[in-house]
Amino acid sequence: MNESFLESARPGGAGRAQKETLAQLNGVSSDAKEPGVTRRSLGEPTEGLSGKGHLNEVEPLLSLRGIDKSFGPVQALAGVDLDIPLGQVTALVGDNGAGKSVLVKTISGIWEPDDGQIFWEGRPVHIRNPKEAAEMGITTVYQDLALCDNLDIVQNMFLGREPTRYRLLDETAMELAAKRTLAELSVVTVRSIRQAVASLSGGQRQAVAVGKAVMWNSKLVIFDEPTAALAVSSAAMVLELIRQLASRGLAVIVISHVLNEIFSVADRIAVLHLGHIAAVGPISEFDPQKVATLMATGTSSWSSHESDSPSDPREL
């Protein structure tokens, strides 16, 4: 760790300029007299949540209504209705070609739907590109993580959003913010926040990607196969990070083929079959056999609760 970081870590070491930069990263004025009053820390529920960190039952964070998407003659999504509440992990499962990736890329702004409506916090929105999705608070952690192996942890977490001081990168502010974020996520296996990402394990890379999403005040974090090719210990760490995000009031979507992991981490589940929502509801109303059957056929003998119809925000 460089000398500027060590100096800033001493009492009184961080100067006025560094404090102002850190305050800007946290979204508050550097003159705030009561830390934590105007800035929402990771452990506090998001505005509009109950004390348990859940959005009220009337209005989910994200609502999809009648979403269609085609690529030539191929109907990738057909009439998809889905609600994503805050403070819960929603698992999105389906066989290959079911439409999971298309749905996630539609939410993330990579593709616009051909028909249907997206509601964000109860308001209709049009997400035209990933930048607009990021500005709304939507972050997607893809299977390849989109991290730069030749850069260190701090550089990856601030890539494209580097704070400056006197036209130079404010390395001290970046190191402090990155270290604090990883500490709040209980990431303790990283030797140094200045080590190259290429030297990290799969679980540690996921932790960096999650920390990056949290640091920039995401409201919805989407994980695409987060435990693929990870060792058992690393996968357990990633699943714990996912639970932490939900417990802190964020909405989480997880795509995975590993049903055991889905049942250990998810609060709700949505099953896609050939572009249609085959079933959606609380995870307690499903079991692995029923989910596997729905993934393969789109139907199940379990039908009385097969449509946990979400409320229509247009009627609110």
Side-chain angles (χ1 to χ4, degrees):
M1 195 171 294
N2 61 31
E3 293 180 1
S4 62
F5 176 73
L6 293 175
E7 177 64 25
S8 64
R10 299 189 186 106
R16 172 69 177 181
Q18 285 93 341
K19 291 178 180 178
E20 289 177 348
T21 304
L22 283 170
Q24 291 170 1
L25 290 172
N26 292 334
V28 300
S29 167
S30 60
D31 295 325
K33 296 181 179 179
E34 295 185 38
V37 173
T38 55
R39 173 182 178 265
R40 179 179 63 86
S41 67
L42 289 177
E44 295 174 352
T46 307
E47 182 179 356
L49 298 178
S50 69
K52 295 182 179 180
H54 287 248
L55 186 69
N56 62 65
E57 297 180 358
V58 176
E59 184 179 296
L61 175 68
L62 174 71
S63 294
L64 308 178
R65 293 293 177 270
I67 299 297
D68 292 342
K69 183 64 183 178
S70 298
F71 299 93
V74 178
Q75 184 83 28
L77 298 174
V80 171
D81 291 344
L82 184 64
D83 282 345
I84 306 298
L86 280 165
Q88 296 186 33
V89 177
T90 301
L92 187 61
V93 300
D95 205 352
N96 291 334
K100 303 185 301 296
S101 294
V102 176
L103 182 58
V104 165
K105 290 179 178 179
T106 301
I107 296 172
S108 302
I110 296 176
W111 292 321
E112 291 190 60
D114 298 330
D115 198 7
Q117 182 65 65
I118 299 175
F119 293 86
W120 182 257
E121 297 179 326
R123 299 185 299 273
V125 296
H126 295 280
I127 309 175
R128 300 175 179 84
N129 52 62
K131 181 180 179 182
E132 290 186 0
E135 289 172 349
M136 291 166 55
I138 300 173
T139 297
T140 303
V141 180
Y142 292 101
Q143 189 170 345
D144 58 8
L145 300 179
L147 298 176
C148 299
D149 286 348
N150 61 314
L151 300 181
D152 62 34
I153 293 173
V154 175
Q155 291 168 331
N156 267 281
M157 291 179 71
F158 281 89
L159 189 61
R161 302 180 182 181
E162 297 87 348
T164 58
R165 182 166 61 94
Y166 306 128
R167 299 185 180 180
L168 299 174
L169 293 180
D170 195 338
E171 300 283 355
T172 299
M174 289 193 293
E175 287 186 356
L176 287 171
K179 184 177 182 181
R180 182 180 61 242
T181 300
L182 293 179
E184 289 179 336
L185 290 171
S186 300
V187 178
V188 296
T189 59
V190 174
R191 183 180 71 256
S192 167
I193 58 173
R194 280 302 186 181
Q195 67 183 102
V197 164
S199 67
L200 301 179
S201 68
Q204 290 171 330
R205 288 171 181 244
Q206 283 281 3
V208 172
V210 171
K212 184 176 181 179
V214 170
M215 189 166 60
W216 296 109
N217 296 321
S218 299
K219 297 180 180 179
L220 169 62
V221 183
I222 305 171
F223 291 90
D224 184 7
E225 299 288 352
T227 62
L230 293 185
V232 174
S233 59
S234 295
M237 183 181 98
V238 171
L239 294 176
E240 177 58 28
L241 285 173
I242 290 172
R243 287 305 316 166
Q244 284 190 50
L245 293 182
S247 67
R248 288 175 167 130
L250 279 70
V252 181
I253 297 176
V254 176
I255 297 175
S256 178
H257 285 91
V258 185
L259 293 185
N260 287 339
E261 293 179 353
I262 289 297
F263 277 86
S264 69
V265 76
D267 301 295
R268 302 176 69 254
I269 188 169
V271 183
L272 273 170
H273 178 73
L274 299 179
H276 298 266
I277 293 288
V280 58
I283 196 73
S284 59
E285 297 182 357
F286 293 77
D287 61 50
Q289 182 58 49
K290 291 172 182 176
V291 172
T293 301
L294 286 163
M295 290 170 58
T297 67
T299 60
S300 170
S301 58
W302 173 78
S303 59
S304 60
H305 299 288
E306 195 166 290
S307 177
D308 180 21
S309 300
S311 59
D312 192 334
R314 289 170 291 189
E315 298 176 357
L316 296 179

Short mmCIF file of all heavy atoms in Angstrom, two decimals, residues 236-292:
data_model
loop_
_atom_site.label_atom_id
_atom_site.label_comp_id
_atom_site.label_asym_id
_atom_site.label_seq_id
_atom_site.Cartn_x
_atom_site.Cartn_y
_atom_site.Cartn_z
N ALA A 236 -19.25 -20.74 -1.74
CA ALA A 236 -19.92 -20.42 -0.48
C ALA A 236 -19.73 -18.95 -0.13
O ALA A 236 -20.65 -18.29 0.36
CB ALA A 236 -19.38 -21.31 0.64
N MET A 237 -18.54 -18.41 -0.39
CA MET A 237 -18.28 -17.01 -0.11
C MET A 237 -19.14 -16.10 -0.98
O MET A 237 -19.70 -15.11 -0.51
CB MET A 237 -16.80 -16.69 -0.33
CG MET A 237 -16.39 -15.27 0.00
SD MET A 237 -14.64 -14.97 -0.31
CE MET A 237 -14.74 -14.20 -1.90
N VAL A 238 -19.28 -16.46 -2.26
CA VAL A 238 -20.09 -15.66 -3.18
C VAL A 238 -21.56 -15.69 -2.77
O VAL A 238 -22.25 -14.66 -2.78
CB VAL A 238 -19.92 -16.17 -4.62
CG1 VAL A 238 -20.91 -15.49 -5.56
CG2 VAL A 238 -18.49 -15.93 -5.10
N LEU A 239 -22.06 -16.85 -2.39
CA LEU A 239 -23.46 -16.96 -1.96
C LEU A 239 -23.71 -16.12 -0.70
O LEU A 239 -24.77 -15.50 -0.56
CB LEU A 239 -23.83 -18.42 -1.70
CG LEU A 239 -23.83 -19.34 -2.93
CD1 LEU A 239 -24.12 -20.77 -2.52
CD2 LEU A 239 -24.83 -18.86 -3.98
N GLU A 240 -22.74 -16.08 0.20
CA GLU A 240 -22.87 -15.25 1.39
C GLU A 240 -22.89 -13.77 1.03
O GLU A 240 -23.65 -12.98 1.60
CB GLU A 240 -21.72 -15.54 2.35
CG GLU A 240 -21.72 -14.66 3.60
CD GLU A 240 -22.99 -14.78 4.42
OE1 GLU A 240 -23.64 -15.86 4.38
OE2 GLU A 240 -23.36 -13.80 5.10
N LEU A 241 -22.09 -13.36 0.03
CA LEU A 241 -22.12 -11.97 -0.43
C LEU A 241 -23.49 -11.62 -1.01
O LEU A 241 -24.01 -10.52 -0.78
CB LEU A 241 -21.04 -11.75 -1.49
CG LEU A 241 -19.60 -11.66 -1.00
CD1 LEU A 241 -18.64 -11.62 -2.19
CD2 LEU A 241 -19.39 -10.44 -0.12
N ILE A 242 -24.08 -12.55 -1.73
CA ILE A 242 -25.40 -12.31 -2.32
C ILE A 242 -26.44 -12.11 -1.21
O ILE A 242 -27.28 -11.20 -1.28
CB ILE A 242 -25.79 -13.49 -3.23
CG1 ILE A 242 -24.91 -13.48 -4.49
CG2 ILE A 242 -27.27 -13.41 -3.63
CD1 ILE A 242 -25.08 -14.70 -5.37
N ARG A 243 -26.38 -12.95 -0.17
CA ARG A 243 -27.31 -12.79 0.94
C ARG A 243 -27.09 -11.46 1.65
O ARG A 243 -28.05 -10.80 2.07
CB ARG A 243 -27.12 -13.93 1.96
CG ARG A 243 -27.63 -15.28 1.51
CD ARG A 243 -29.08 -15.29 1.09
NE ARG A 243 -29.94 -14.55 2.00
CZ ARG A 243 -31.19 -14.20 1.71
NH1 ARG A 243 -31.71 -14.47 0.53
NH2 ARG A 243 -31.92 -13.55 2.58
N GLN A 244 -25.84 -11.02 1.77
CA GLN A 244 -25.56 -9.75 2.40
C GLN A 244 -26.19 -8.60 1.63
O GLN A 244 -26.73 -7.66 2.22
CB GLN A 244 -24.05 -9.54 2.49
CG GLN A 244 -23.37 -10.33 3.59
CD GLN A 244 -21.93 -9.87 3.77
OE1 GLN A 244 -21.65 -8.69 3.90
NE2 GLN A 244 -21.01 -10.82 3.78
N LEU A 245 -26.12 -8.65 0.31
CA LEU A 245 -26.71 -7.58 -0.50
C LEU A 245 -28.21 -7.48 -0.25
O LEU A 245 -28.76 -6.39 -0.08
CB LEU A 245 -26.44 -7.83 -1.98
CG LEU A 245 -25.00 -7.75 -2.45
CD1 LEU A 245 -24.91 -7.98 -3.96
CD2 LEU A 245 -24.36 -6.42 -2.09
N ALA A 246 -28.88 -8.62 -0.23
CA ALA A 246 -30.33 -8.61 0.01
C ALA A 246 -30.65 -8.12 1.41
O ALA A 246 -31.59 -7.35 1.62
CB ALA A 246 -30.91 -10.01 -0.21
N SER A 247 -29.85 -8.54 2.40
CA SER A 247 -30.12 -8.13 3.78
C SER A 247 -29.90 -6.64 3.97
O SER A 247 -30.42 -6.05 4.92
CB SER A 247 -29.22 -8.91 4.74
OG SER A 247 -27.86 -8.57 4.58
N ARG A 248 -29.14 -6.01 3.08
CA ARG A 248 -28.90 -4.57 3.16
C ARG A 248 -29.90 -3.78 2.33
O ARG A 248 -29.74 -2.58 2.12
CB ARG A 248 -27.48 -4.26 2.72
CG ARG A 248 -26.48 -4.72 3.77
CD ARG A 248 -25.05 -4.53 3.32
NE ARG A 248 -24.18 -4.69 4.45
CZ ARG A 248 -23.11 -5.47 4.48
NH1 ARG A 248 -22.79 -6.17 3.42
NH2 ARG A 248 -22.38 -5.56 5.56
N GLY A 249 -30.93 -4.45 1.82
CA GLY A 249 -32.01 -3.74 1.16
C GLY A 249 -31.93 -3.68 -0.34
O GLY A 249 -32.77 -3.04 -0.97
N LEU A 250 -30.92 -4.29 -0.96
CA LEU A 250 -30.83 -4.27 -2.41
C LEU A 250 -31.69 -5.38 -3.00
O LEU A 250 -31.96 -6.40 -2.36
CB LEU A 250 -29.38 -4.46 -2.87
CG LEU A 250 -28.46 -3.24 -2.84
CD1 LEU A 250 -28.15 -2.82 -1.40
CD2 LEU A 250 -27.16 -3.52 -3.59
N ALA A 251 -32.11 -5.18 -4.23
CA ALA A 251 -32.78 -6.24 -4.99
C ALA A 251 -31.71 -7.04 -5.71
O ALA A 251 -30.75 -6.47 -6.24
CB ALA A 251 -33.78 -5.65 -5.97
N VAL A 252 -31.85 -8.35 -5.73
CA VAL A 252 -30.86 -9.22 -6.35
C VAL A 252 -31.56 -10.22 -7.26
O VAL A 252 -32.56 -10.83 -6.88
CB VAL A 252 -30.02 -9.98 -5.29
CG1 VAL A 252 -28.97 -10.85 -5.97
CG2 VAL A 252 -29.36 -9.00 -4.32
N ILE A 253 -31.01 -10.37 -8.47
CA ILE A 253 -31.44 -11.43 -9.39
C ILE A 253 -30.25 -12.35 -9.59
O ILE A 253 -29.14 -11.90 -9.87
CB ILE A 253 -31.90 -10.87 -10.75
CG1 ILE A 253 -33.13 -9.97 -10.58
CG2 ILE A 253 -32.21 -12.00 -11.72
CD1 ILE A 253 -33.58 -9.30 -11.87
N VAL A 254 -30.48 -13.65 -9.45
CA VAL A 254 -29.42 -14.64 -9.63
C VAL A 254 -29.84 -15.64 -10.71
O VAL A 254 -30.91 -16.24 -10.61
CB VAL A 254 -29.11 -15.40 -8.32
CG1 VAL A 254 -28.07 -16.48 -8.57
CG2 VAL A 254 -28.62 -14.44 -7.26
N ILE A 255 -28.99 -15.78 -11.72
CA ILE A 255 -29.19 -16.82 -12.73
C ILE A 255 -28.23 -17.96 -12.42
O ILE A 255 -27.03 -17.74 -12.26
CB ILE A 255 -28.90 -16.28 -14.15
CG1 ILE A 255 -29.87 -15.17 -14.52
CG2 ILE A 255 -28.99 -17.41 -15.18
CD1 ILE A 255 -29.56 -14.51 -15.84
N SER A 256 -28.75 -19.16 -12.29
CA SER A 256 -27.89 -20.30 -11.99
C SER A 256 -28.56 -21.59 -12.42
O SER A 256 -29.79 -21.70 -12.42
CB SER A 256 -27.57 -20.34 -10.49
OG SER A 256 -26.77 -21.46 -10.18
N HIS A 257 -27.72 -22.56 -12.79
CA HIS A 257 -28.22 -23.90 -13.10
C HIS A 257 -28.12 -24.83 -11.90
O HIS A 257 -28.62 -25.95 -11.93
CB HIS A 257 -27.42 -24.50 -14.27
CG HIS A 257 -27.76 -23.92 -15.60
ND1 HIS A 257 -27.10 -22.83 -16.13
CD2 HIS A 257 -28.70 -24.27 -16.50
CE1 HIS A 257 -27.61 -22.54 -17.31
NE2 HIS A 257 -28.58 -23.40 -17.56
N VAL A 258 -27.45 -24.35 -10.85
CA VAL A 258 -27.24 -25.20 -9.68
C VAL A 258 -28.41 -25.02 -8.71
O VAL A 258 -28.45 -24.06 -7.94
CB VAL A 258 -25.90 -24.86 -8.99
CG1 VAL A 258 -25.63 -25.84 -7.85
CG2 VAL A 258 -24.76 -24.88 -9.99
N LEU A 259 -29.36 -25.93 -8.74
CA LEU A 259 -30.58 -25.77 -7.96
C LEU A 259 -30.32 -25.81 -6.46
O LEU A 259 -31.02 -25.12 -5.70
CB LEU A 259 -31.60 -26.85 -8.34
CG LEU A 259 -32.17 -26.75 -9.78
CD1 LEU A 259 -33.26 -27.81 -9.98
CD2 LEU A 259 -32.73 -25.36 -10.04
N ASN A 260 -29.35 -26.58 -6.02
CA ASN A 260 -29.05 -26.60 -4.59
C ASN A 260 -28.65 -25.22 -4.10
O ASN A 260 -29.04 -24.79 -3.00
CB ASN A 260 -27.93 -27.61 -4.30
CG ASN A 260 -28.41 -29.05 -4.42
OD1 ASN A 260 -29.61 -29.32 -4.35
ND2 ASN A 260 -27.48 -29.96 -4.60
N GLU A 261 -27.86 -24.50 -4.88
CA GLU A 261 -27.46 -23.16 -4.51
C GLU A 261 -28.65 -22.20 -4.55
O GLU A 261 -28.79 -21.33 -3.68
CB GLU A 261 -26.35 -22.66 -5.44
CG GLU A 261 -25.05 -23.41 -5.28
CD GLU A 261 -23.97 -22.92 -6.22
OE1 GLU A 261 -24.27 -22.08 -7.09
OE2 GLU A 261 -22.83 -23.39 -6.09
N ILE A 262 -29.49 -22.38 -5.54
CA ILE A 262 -30.69 -21.54 -5.65
C ILE A 262 -31.55 -21.68 -4.40
O ILE A 262 -32.01 -20.68 -3.82
CB ILE A 262 -31.50 -21.91 -6.91
CG1 ILE A 262 -30.77 -21.48 -8.18
CG2 ILE A 262 -32.90 -21.30 -6.85
CD1 ILE A 262 -30.57 -19.98 -8.31
N PHE A 263 -31.77 -22.89 -3.96
CA PHE A 263 -32.63 -23.11 -2.81
C PHE A 263 -31.97 -22.67 -1.50
O PHE A 263 -32.66 -22.46 -0.50
CB PHE A 263 -33.06 -24.57 -2.73
CG PHE A 263 -34.24 -24.89 -3.61
CD1 PHE A 263 -34.05 -25.22 -4.94
CD2 PHE A 263 -35.53 -24.81 -3.12
CE1 PHE A 263 -35.13 -25.49 -5.77
CE2 PHE A 263 -36.63 -25.07 -3.93
CZ PHE A 263 -36.42 -25.41 -5.27
N SER A 264 -30.65 -22.51 -1.50
CA SER A 264 -29.98 -22.07 -0.30
C SER A 264 -29.92 -20.55 -0.19
O SER A 264 -29.75 -20.02 0.91
CB SER A 264 -28.55 -22.62 -0.27
OG SER A 264 -27.74 -22.01 -1.26
N VAL A 265 -30.08 -19.83 -1.30
CA VAL A 265 -29.87 -18.38 -1.26
C VAL A 265 -31.10 -17.57 -1.66
O VAL A 265 -31.24 -16.42 -1.25
CB VAL A 265 -28.68 -18.00 -2.18
CG1 VAL A 265 -29.09 -18.04 -3.66
CG2 VAL A 265 -28.12 -16.64 -1.83
N ALA A 266 -32.03 -18.14 -2.42
CA ALA A 266 -33.13 -17.35 -2.99
C ALA A 266 -34.33 -17.23 -2.05
O ALA A 266 -34.61 -18.13 -1.25
CB ALA A 266 -33.58 -17.95 -4.32
N ASP A 267 -35.02 -16.10 -2.17
CA ASP A 267 -36.31 -15.89 -1.50
C ASP A 267 -37.47 -16.19 -2.43
O ASP A 267 -38.53 -16.64 -2.00
CB ASP A 267 -36.42 -14.45 -1.01
CG ASP A 267 -35.32 -14.07 -0.05
OD1 ASP A 267 -35.28 -14.65 1.05
OD2 ASP A 267 -34.50 -13.20 -0.39
N ARG A 268 -37.25 -15.91 -3.73
CA ARG A 268 -38.28 -16.13 -4.74
C ARG A 268 -37.63 -16.80 -5.94
O ARG A 268 -36.41 -16.73 -6.12
CB ARG A 268 -38.92 -14.80 -5.17
CG ARG A 268 -39.54 -14.02 -4.03
CD ARG A 268 -40.08 -12.66 -4.48
NE ARG A 268 -41.23 -12.77 -5.34
CZ ARG A 268 -41.22 -12.55 -6.65
NH1 ARG A 268 -40.10 -12.21 -7.26
NH2 ARG A 268 -42.33 -12.66 -7.36
N ILE A 269 -38.44 -17.41 -6.79
CA ILE A 269 -37.92 -18.08 -7.97
C ILE A 269 -38.86 -17.84 -9.14
O ILE A 269 -40.08 -17.81 -8.98
CB ILE A 269 -37.71 -19.59 -7.72
CG1 ILE A 269 -36.98 -20.25 -8.89
CG2 ILE A 269 -39.03 -20.28 -7.42
CD1 ILE A 269 -36.52 -21.67 -8.60
N ALA A 270 -38.28 -17.64 -10.31
CA ALA A 270 -39.04 -17.51 -11.55
C ALA A 270 -38.45 -18.50 -12.55
O ALA A 270 -37.24 -18.51 -12.77
CB ALA A 270 -38.96 -16.09 -12.09
N VAL A 271 -39.31 -19.33 -13.12
CA VAL A 271 -38.87 -20.37 -14.06
C VAL A 271 -39.27 -19.96 -15.47
O VAL A 271 -40.44 -19.70 -15.75
CB VAL A 271 -39.49 -21.73 -13.71
CG1 VAL A 271 -38.95 -22.81 -14.65
CG2 VAL A 271 -39.23 -22.09 -12.26
N LEU A 272 -38.28 -19.89 -16.35
CA LEU A 272 -38.51 -19.56 -17.76
C LEU A 272 -38.50 -20.83 -18.60
O LEU A 272 -37.67 -21.73 -18.38
CB LEU A 272 -37.43 -18.61 -18.27
CG LEU A 272 -37.64 -17.11 -18.08
CD1 LEU A 272 -36.36 -16.35 -18.42
CD2 LEU A 272 -38.79 -16.60 -18.94
N HIS A 273 -39.41 -20.89 -19.56
CA HIS A 273 -39.45 -22.01 -20.50
C HIS A 273 -39.79 -21.47 -21.88
O HIS A 273 -40.88 -20.91 -22.09
CB HIS A 273 -40.49 -23.06 -20.06
CG HIS A 273 -40.60 -24.22 -21.02
ND1 HIS A 273 -39.63 -25.20 -21.11
CD2 HIS A 273 -41.56 -24.54 -21.93
CE1 HIS A 273 -40.00 -26.08 -22.02
NE2 HIS A 273 -41.17 -25.70 -22.53
N LEU A 274 -38.85 -21.56 -22.80
CA LEU A 274 -39.04 -21.11 -24.19
C LEU A 274 -39.58 -19.69 -24.26
O LEU A 274 -40.50 -19.38 -25.02
CB LEU A 274 -39.97 -22.08 -24.93
CG LEU A 274 -39.46 -23.53 -25.04
CD1 LEU A 274 -40.48 -24.40 -25.77
CD2 LEU A 274 -38.11 -23.59 -25.74
N GLY A 275 -39.02 -18.81 -23.44
CA GLY A 275 -39.38 -17.40 -23.49
C GLY A 275 -40.59 -17.01 -22.68
O GLY A 275 -40.92 -15.83 -22.60
N HIS A 276 -41.25 -17.98 -22.05
CA HIS A 276 -42.43 -17.71 -21.22
C HIS A 276 -42.09 -17.92 -19.75
O HIS A 276 -41.25 -18.76 -19.41
CB HIS A 276 -43.60 -18.64 -21.60
CG HIS A 276 -44.08 -18.48 -23.00
ND1 HIS A 276 -45.14 -17.65 -23.35
CD2 HIS A 276 -43.64 -19.05 -24.16
CE1 HIS A 276 -45.34 -17.72 -24.64
NE2 HIS A 276 -44.45 -18.55 -25.17
N ILE A 277 -42.78 -17.20 -18.87
CA ILE A 277 -42.68 -17.48 -17.44
C ILE A 277 -43.57 -18.68 -17.13
O ILE A 277 -44.80 -18.60 -17.21
CB ILE A 277 -43.12 -16.26 -16.59
CG1 ILE A 277 -42.14 -15.10 -16.76
CG2 ILE A 277 -43.22 -16.65 -15.12
CD1 ILE A 277 -40.78 -15.32 -16.10
N ALA A 278 -42.95 -19.80 -16.79
CA ALA A 278 -43.72 -21.01 -16.50
C ALA A 278 -44.29 -20.97 -15.09
O ALA A 278 -45.39 -21.48 -14.84
CB ALA A 278 -42.83 -22.25 -16.66
N ALA A 279 -43.56 -20.38 -14.15
CA ALA A 279 -44.02 -20.27 -12.77
C ALA A 279 -43.16 -19.24 -12.06
O ALA A 279 -42.00 -19.04 -12.38
CB ALA A 279 -43.94 -21.62 -12.06
N VAL A 280 -43.76 -18.60 -11.07
CA VAL A 280 -43.04 -17.64 -10.24
C VAL A 280 -43.70 -17.60 -8.87
O VAL A 280 -44.91 -17.68 -8.75
CB VAL A 280 -43.02 -16.23 -10.89
CG1 VAL A 280 -44.43 -15.72 -11.13
CG2 VAL A 280 -42.24 -15.25 -10.04
N GLY A 281 -42.88 -17.50 -7.83
CA GLY A 281 -43.44 -17.44 -6.49
C GLY A 281 -42.38 -17.59 -5.43
O GLY A 281 -41.18 -17.69 -5.73
N PRO A 282 -42.78 -17.61 -4.16
CA PRO A 282 -41.82 -17.80 -3.06
C PRO A 282 -41.11 -19.14 -3.19
O PRO A 282 -41.71 -20.14 -3.59
CB PRO A 282 -42.70 -17.74 -1.81
CG PRO A 282 -43.94 -17.04 -2.24
CD PRO A 282 -44.15 -17.41 -3.67
N ILE A 283 -39.85 -19.18 -2.85
CA ILE A 283 -39.07 -20.41 -2.97
C ILE A 283 -39.64 -21.52 -2.09
O ILE A 283 -39.51 -22.70 -2.41
CB ILE A 283 -37.59 -20.14 -2.60
CG1 ILE A 283 -36.69 -21.28 -3.07
CG2 ILE A 283 -37.45 -19.90 -1.10
CD1 ILE A 283 -36.46 -21.32 -4.55
N SER A 284 -40.34 -21.15 -1.02
CA SER A 284 -40.90 -22.16 -0.12
C SER A 284 -42.01 -22.98 -0.78
O SER A 284 -42.35 -24.06 -0.30
CB SER A 284 -41.46 -21.48 1.14
OG SER A 284 -42.46 -20.53 0.81
N GLU A 285 -42.55 -22.49 -1.88
CA GLU A 285 -43.63 -23.20 -2.56
C GLU A 285 -43.10 -24.13 -3.66
O GLU A 285 -43.89 -24.72 -4.41
CB GLU A 285 -44.62 -22.21 -3.14
CG GLU A 285 -45.33 -21.36 -2.09
CD GLU A 285 -46.36 -20.42 -2.69
OE1 GLU A 285 -46.48 -20.39 -3.94
OE2 GLU A 285 -47.04 -19.73 -1.93
N PHE A 286 -41.78 -24.24 -3.78
CA PHE A 286 -41.17 -25.07 -4.81
C PHE A 286 -40.27 -26.11 -4.15
O PHE A 286 -39.89 -25.98 -2.99
CB PHE A 286 -40.32 -24.22 -5.77
CG PHE A 286 -41.10 -23.27 -6.62
CD1 PHE A 286 -41.60 -22.08 -6.09
CD2 PHE A 286 -41.32 -23.54 -7.97
CE1 PHE A 286 -42.31 -21.19 -6.88
CE2 PHE A 286 -42.02 -22.66 -8.76
CZ PHE A 286 -42.52 -21.47 -8.22
N ASP A 287 -39.92 -27.13 -4.92
CA ASP A 287 -38.86 -28.03 -4.54
C ASP A 287 -38.06 -28.33 -5.81
O ASP A 287 -38.51 -28.05 -6.92
CB ASP A 287 -39.39 -29.32 -3.89
CG ASP A 287 -40.29 -30.13 -4.81
OD1 ASP A 287 -39.89 -30.38 -5.96
OD2 ASP A 287 -41.40 -30.52 -4.37
N PRO A 288 -36.83 -28.86 -5.69
CA PRO A 288 -35.99 -29.06 -6.87
C PRO A 288 -36.65 -29.89 -7.97
O PRO A 288 -36.46 -29.60 -9.16
CB PRO A 288 -34.76 -29.77 -6.29
CG PRO A 288 -34.68 -29.29 -4.88
CD PRO A 288 -36.11 -29.16 -4.43
N GLN A 289 -37.42 -30.91 -7.61
CA GLN A 289 -38.06 -31.75 -8.62
C GLN A 289 -39.08 -30.96 -9.42
O GLN A 289 -39.16 -31.08 -10.66
CB GLN A 289 -38.71 -32.96 -7.95
CG GLN A 289 -39.37 -33.92 -8.95
CD GLN A 289 -38.39 -34.45 -9.98
OE1 GLN A 289 -37.30 -34.92 -9.63
NE2 GLN A 289 -38.75 -34.36 -11.25
N LYS A 290 -39.86 -30.16 -8.75
CA LYS A 290 -40.87 -29.35 -9.45
C LYS A 290 -40.21 -28.33 -10.36
O LYS A 290 -40.67 -28.09 -11.49
CB LYS A 290 -41.77 -28.65 -8.44
CG LYS A 290 -42.68 -29.59 -7.67
CD LYS A 290 -43.41 -28.86 -6.56
CE LYS A 290 -44.28 -29.81 -5.76
NZ LYS A 290 -44.93 -29.16 -4.61
N VAL A 291 -39.13 -27.72 -9.88
CA VAL A 291 -38.42 -26.74 -10.71
C VAL A 291 -37.83 -27.41 -11.94
O VAL A 291 -37.91 -26.89 -13.06
CB VAL A 291 -37.32 -26.04 -9.89
CG1 VAL A 291 -36.45 -25.17 -10.78
CG2 VAL A 291 -37.95 -25.19 -8.78
N ALA A 292 -37.22 -28.59 -11.76
CA ALA A 292 -36.63 -29.31 -12.89
C ALA A 292 -37.70 -29.67 -13.92
O ALA A 292 -37.47 -29.57 -15.14
CB ALA A 292 -35.91 -30.56 -12.39
#
